[in-house]
Amino acid sequence: MGMQAALHLIYPPQCLTCDALVTTDFGLCGHCWRETPFVTGLVCDQCGVPLPGEDSGQPEHCDDCLTIARPWSQGRAAMLYKDNARRMVLALKHGDRLDLARPAAGWMLRAAQPLLVPGMLVAPIPLHWLRLIKRRYNQAALLSGALAKMAGLDHCPDLLIRQRYTGSQEGRDRDSRFANLATALTVHPRRANRVEGRHILLVDDVMTSGVTFAAAAEACIAAGASGVSVLALARVAKDG
């Protein structure tokens, strides 16, 4: 009997989000799977939000991405930010559930397949150091590190830095959010040589309006990136 099988006899694997027993590590039980709104079918090619209709094979865009200039080329999300997906994001961000990063990165990798290009550099959206001290880890960096490893891509956890503390974005409109972030995010001076001429995949746990990704993408492009794509674990949809 292998070590894993022996461990399963003593500690049978449990669902990631409830105490139901499951057949494999890092799995969801049937009920929690049904309560997790994975993104499938036709999506906006720039922000990953689900769209009505059938996939024609041509890139489609949501109303927001048709009216808002996005500085990145493509974007995807693994799930919608509601129900069990919201519970998992909050558990990863505030509940010390670091074990969620590995399965979450697997779901993100599946969603990210249309974005991946050879030589891509994966980097997380950074936290300000004050927030990092309070939280002790950056959940975006946990996700980006696990994703890069699974995809066989280079990872740079400190590619971007927050030069100043931006506080909460809640209650701000989109323009105010962007103005608050535009000068806060920059490429780390010692990492600039890793950006030039490369396509960057930016990773975060949640995409809401897209302004954080936009500020980060503009910083990468200013540092000489050939292109930027974005990937979130969960996407906030207007009906959610």
Side-chain angles (χ1 to χ4, degrees), residues 78 100-113 143 146-147 150:
L100 290 171
R102 180 173 152 186
W107 300 326
M108 294 170 76
L109 180 59
R110 186 174 62 188
Q113 289 306 309
L143 294 169
L147 176 95
M150 290 177 187

Side-chain angles (χ1 to χ4, degrees), residues 140-226:
L142 295 177
L143 294 169
S144 62
L147 176 95
K149 189 174 182 180
M150 290 177 187
L153 296 171
D154 287 347
H155 183 232
C156 189
D158 60 349
L159 184 73
L160 293 161
I161 54 174
R162 285 190 188 244
Q163 297 186 106
R164 58 182 175 79
Y165 187 66
T166 52
S168 172
Q169 293 278 65
E170 279 188 41
R172 299 174 184 266
D173 63 21
R174 189 185 180 283
D175 289 344
S176 174
R177 284 176 179 228
F178 187 81
N180 189 40
L181 276 167
T183 58
L185 293 176
T186 187
V187 169
H188 193 302
R190 294 200 199 96
R191 304 290 176 261
N193 63 328
R194 299 193 67 182
V195 177
E196 195 161 351
R198 295 182 78 174
H199 199 111
I200 312 298
L201 179 62
L202 295 173
V203 173
D204 206 357
D205 57 343
V206 179
M207 185 196 309
T208 305
S209 64
V211 295
T212 305
F213 274 132
E218 292 201 343
C220 290
I221 290 163
S226 61

Side-chain angles (χ1 to χ4, degrees), residues 13-22 24-38 79 82-92 97 99-101 103-104 107 233:
Q14 287 186 320
C15 172
L16 286 166
T17 54
C18 77
D19 55 9
L21 299 183
V22 291
T24 59
D25 288 318
F26 309 115
L28 292 168
C29 69
H31 173 75
C32 290
W33 184 272
R34 290 189 294 274
E35 286 288 302
T36 305
F38 290 100
M79 52 185 71
K82 60 182 183 180
D83 304 330
N84 202 42
R86 183 175 181 274
R87 288 190 286 272
M88 281 194 278
V89 167
L90 294 176
L92 177 62
R97 286 291 307 276
D99 59 300
L100 290 171
W107 300 326
L233 173 56

Side-chain angles (χ1 to χ4, degrees), residues 97-152:
R97 286 291 307 276
L98 278 63
D99 59 300
L100 290 171
R102 180 173 152 186
W107 300 326
M108 294 170 76
L109 180 59
R110 186 174 62 188
Q113 289 306 309
L115 313 181
L116 303 182
V117 295
M120 191 173 236
L121 180 65
V122 182
I125 295 294
L127 287 177
H128 187 268
W129 64 268
L130 285 172
R131 187 164 281 170
L132 188 59
I133 288 172
K134 184 178 177 183
R135 200 174 291 167
R136 303 191 312 283
Y137 59 90
N138 178 6
Q139 72 282 354
L142 295 177
L143 294 169
S144 62
L147 176 95
K149 189 174 182 180
M150 290 177 187

